[in-house]
Amino acid sequence: ALFGVVAVLAVVSASAPLFSMLGEGAYLGETQVLQMFLATVVVFMLWSMLGVALGGFIVNQIAAIVVILAVTQFIEPILSVGLMFWDAGAKFGRFLPGSAGGSVVGESFMGMDPGMATAETLTRVEGALVLLVYIAFFAILARIITLRRDVG
């Protein structure tokens, strides 16, 4: 949670003066903006927990980092775009980890272009629950594999 708070404060402290110089407001007192800040901290915590669960599953740190970056930065976005062209796929794509995290915050890559948004996004709570399912799945898998590897 601490890293999430620090990250939000860093972004706000860097961007608010920039918005002010451009004559735009940062709207820091608005409810929606404050909700987004809180949701960002929650997503930081959830992704951290997912990283720990994956780290227990993939014990080589370099491999774990490469897998996480490859999945979140390359495979999932390409898969999400590809799934949009298929009705059932568009509904499935919102359950991928990145889309679920974007739903918690309230923004996602798919929502940037109105032409790309073919399926409704999850609510914030649904997105958090989807991430918790991924966390539980990988934590249980890591536990099973660790017991077999260390005990067996």
Side-chain angles (χ1 to χ4, degrees), residues 8-118:
V8 168
L9 290 175
V11 168
V12 169
S13 63
S15 61
L18 179 64
F19 283 128
S20 179
M21 286 188 316
L22 295 173
E24 298 288 331
Y27 305 105
L28 297 177
E30 296 291 323
T31 304
Q32 287 180 320
V33 173
L34 296 174
Q35 286 175 344
M36 187 178 65
F37 291 159
L38 179 61
T40 301
V41 173
V42 169
V43 166
F44 260 86
M45 291 188 306
L46 290 170
W47 275 102
S48 296
M49 291 170 24
L50 184 57
V52 169
L54 280 169
F57 173 61
I58 306 171
V59 293
N60 182 311
Q61 291 178 354
I62 301 298
I65 291 170
V66 169
V67 166
I68 290 171
L69 287 175
V71 169
T72 60
Q73 302 303 309
F74 299 107
I75 296 169
E76 185 177 344
I78 292 168
L79 185 61
S80 294
V81 170
L83 287 172
M84 287 186 329
F85 298 105
W86 178 43
D87 288 336
K91 292 177 182 172
F92 171 77
R94 62 188 179 159
F95 293 101
L96 295 171
S99 297
S103 296
V104 175
V105 175
E107 291 294 327
S108 82
F109 166 72
M110 295 302 163
M112 290 180 172
D113 180 7
M116 294 178 76
T118 58

